[in-house]
């Protein structure tokens, strides 16, 4: 048998970074997807292949696995397989329309697709609502030790989610599932998430604690107001809140000149709001657009020479693809 599962990438509508410290965030699915095709075999060999990262191979030995072709970029997939204790081998191939290290968490989307495809092939008794527990340790590894795991909810379940960590338990509450049009610009400047999450923000907290937590407090208010605007369908208000969240991230030194360039151009071209999304210091920004200005915003972002994608947010989570 063969299963292809696909999952959306993610954007932070608001609240990234603050969410790592127990503040609320709103995360949503973005209609750029990854797909993983898994074929179960009846021999012990495992082969995971990605167009971008090459191949990793391993062998199942008494329900543990022995890596035969190591691959640093694909090691987390073998870690996930190890935790599942599978009875036989498989081949997996990964394709993605999410730019790597862009801030859309392609790694989470791929892991969610991989787990879903394995679940189908091996009839594993795991519901997507419990993917979080299996994927969080891997996401922490990718993020350099600290990770809220927010992206796991929107990749697996789709739509818009309010995320909040209380006493080390992450609560996710699905707000709604509707499509909003956005234009994404990938700045093509890349910084690993571990640099901002594991190094810059903790060092800023050591030196300027009050500034950081006052800013996080304001981000919490923005997130609460954005939740209301989203549920009221008030795109104008949402746009203003997104702008303010971007300013808060700038204040914490998390933006980048190219991100600010793109945000400025999108607003000048009539976007309702624009902000960086994710860990910052590069990666992507997105602009919330109405029908009237969508083309102008896209053209303005293309003139910055960033890689531009016109897409939507808030759609379906992980699903099985019948015809890939
Ligand atoms: C990174 O995509 C988002 C951060 O909030 C980190 C996290 O939530 O794990 C910066």
């Amino acid at each position: 048998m063969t299963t292809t599962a696909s999952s959306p990438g993610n954007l932070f509508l608001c609240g990234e970074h603050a969410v790592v410290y127990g503040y609320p965030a709103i995360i949503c699915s973005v209609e750029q997807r990854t797909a993983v095709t898994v074929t179960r075999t009846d021999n012990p060999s495992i082969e995971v292949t990605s167009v971008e990262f090459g191949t990793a191979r391993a062998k199942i030995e008494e329900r543990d696995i022995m890596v035969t072709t190591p691959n640093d970029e694909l090691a987390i997939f073998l870690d996930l397989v190890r935790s599942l204790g599978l009875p036989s081998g498989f081949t997996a191939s990964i394709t993605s329309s999410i730019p790597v290290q862009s801030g859309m968490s392609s790694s989470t989307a791929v892991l969610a697709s991989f787990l879903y495809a394995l679940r189908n092939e091996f009839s594993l008794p795991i519901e997507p609502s419990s993917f979080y527990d299996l994927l969080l340790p891997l996401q922490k590894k990718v993020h350099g030790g600290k990770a809220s795991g927010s992206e796991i909810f929107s990749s697996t379940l789709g739509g818009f989610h309010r995320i909040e960590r209380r006493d080390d338990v992450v609560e996710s509450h699905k707000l709604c599932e509707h499509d909003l049009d956005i234009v994404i610009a990938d700045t093509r400047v890349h910084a690993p998430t571990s640099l901002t999450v594991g190094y810059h923000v903790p060092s800023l907290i050591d030196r300027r604690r009050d500034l950081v937590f006052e800013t996080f407090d304001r981000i919490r208010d923005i997130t609460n107001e954005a939740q209301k605007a989203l549920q009221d369908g008030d795109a104008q208000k949402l746009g203003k809140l997104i702008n303010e969240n971007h300013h808060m991230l700038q204040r914490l030194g998390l933006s980048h000149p190219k991100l600010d360039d793109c945000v400025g151009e999108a607003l000048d071209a009539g976007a309702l709001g624009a902000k960086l999304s994710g860990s910052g210091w590069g990666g992507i920004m997105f602009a919330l657009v109405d029908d009237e200005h969508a083309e102008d915003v896209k053209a303005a972002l293309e003139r910055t020479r960033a890689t531009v994608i016109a897409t939507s947010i808030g759609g379906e989570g992980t699903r099985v693809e019948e015809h890939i």
Side-chain angles (χ1 to χ4, degrees):
M1 221 176 98
T2 293
T3 303
T4 297
S6 81
S7 306
N10 305 274
L11 286 179
F12 275 89
L13 205 61
C14 35
E16 59 268 86
H17 284 286
V19 71
V20 176
Y21 295 87
Y23 287 79
I26 299 175
I27 187 147
C28 59
S29 54
V30 55
E31 212 33 51
Q32 304 305 118
R33 302 182 77 89
T34 63
V36 179
T37 299
V38 171
T39 305
R40 180 178 176 163
T41 60
D42 47 18
N43 63 63
S45 304
I46 294 171
E47 186 177 283
V48 179
T49 304
S50 140
V51 179
E52 257 138 354
F53 299 123
T55 300
R57 290 189 187 85
K59 263 201 170 111
I60 297 192
E61 285 191 354
E62 292 167 10
R63 299 239 165 181
D64 195 2
I65 62 167
M66 197 181 82
V67 178
T68 51
T69 308
N71 180 317
D72 285 352
E73 305 291 348
L74 300 176
I76 50 169
F77 295 93
L78 298 182
D79 288 347
L80 177 59
V81 173
R82 187 173 281 117
S83 72
L84 297 174
L86 299 179
S88 70
F90 63 88
T91 61
S93 85
I94 300 167
T95 53
S96 175
S97 64
I98 306 174
V100 174
Q101 273 194 12
S102 64
M104 280 191 267
S105 201
S106 57
S107 56
T108 309
V110 174
L111 282 167
S113 302
F114 183 57
L115 183 53
Y116 202 96
L118 286 173
R119 165 189 180 264
N120 270 24
E121 284 295 290
F122 289 90
S123 306
L124 302 173
I126 313 167
E127 286 310 310
S129 54
S130 59
F131 277 18
Y132 183 82
D133 296 334
L134 280 163
L135 299 185
L136 181 65
L138 305 172
Q139 204 185 40
K140 281 191 170 158
K141 212 168 178 178
V142 175
H143 285 195
K146 280 184 192 291
S148 65
S150 310
E151 296 95 335
I152 301 168
F153 293 105
S154 45
S155 256
T156 54
L157 305 174
F160 293 84
H161 285 256
R162 179 186 171 100
I163 307 290
E164 203 161 359
R165 199 172 65 192
R166 292 182 208 276
D167 303 329
D168 254 15
V169 177
V170 174
E171 291 176 6
S172 139
H173 171 61
K174 191 162 180 175
L175 300 174
C176 49
E177 193 169 298
H178 54 226
D179 287 343
L180 293 177
D181 290 333
I182 60 162
V183 184
I184 293 171
D186 178 2
T187 59
R188 292 186 278 136
V189 179
H190 299 303
T193 304
S194 56
L195 272 190
T196 53
V197 175
Y199 155 67
H200 174 64
V201 174
S203 86
L204 205 56
I205 291 173
D206 286 347
R207 288 169 291 136
R208 307 195 58 191
R209 192 175 181 85
D210 289 352
L211 170 91
V212 175
F213 286 100
E214 274 160 25
T215 308
F216 284 170
D217 286 347
R218 181 57 201 141
I219 290 176
R220 177 190 48 221
D221 297 344
I222 292 169
T223 302
N224 289 336
E225 289 173 54
Q227 175 173 339
K228 185 165 182 318
L230 193 61
Q231 288 172 322
D232 292 348
D234 188 345
Q236 299 279 345
K237 174 88 181 162
L238 200 54
K240 289 200 172 76
L241 293 163
I242 285 170
N243 289 338
E244 207 192 326
N245 197 150
H246 182 73
H247 291 139
M248 293 301 116
L249 293 167
Q250 277 178 322
R251 185 197 269 182
L252 297 177
L254 288 162
S255 193
H256 180 280
K258 194 64 194 170
L259 283 166
D260 294 339
D261 180 26
C262 292
V263 166
E265 291 293 342
L267 293 177
D268 286 351
L272 297 167
K275 72 180 273 289
L276 75 84
S277 171
S279 49
W281 284 9
I284 53 158
M285 56 71 68
F286 70 94
L288 187 64
V289 290
D290 56 19
D291 285 351
E292 194 187 333
H293 296 95
E295 275 307 314
D296 289 348
V297 172
K298 184 166 177 274
L301 288 172
E302 278 166 353
R303 284 193 293 273
T304 70
R305 302 195 189 174
T307 306
V308 177
I309 306 167
T311 184
S312 63
I313 48 176
E316 206 183 346
T318 304
R319 64 181 182 224
V320 169
E321 298 289 346
E322 304 292 345
H323 305 290
I324 280 195

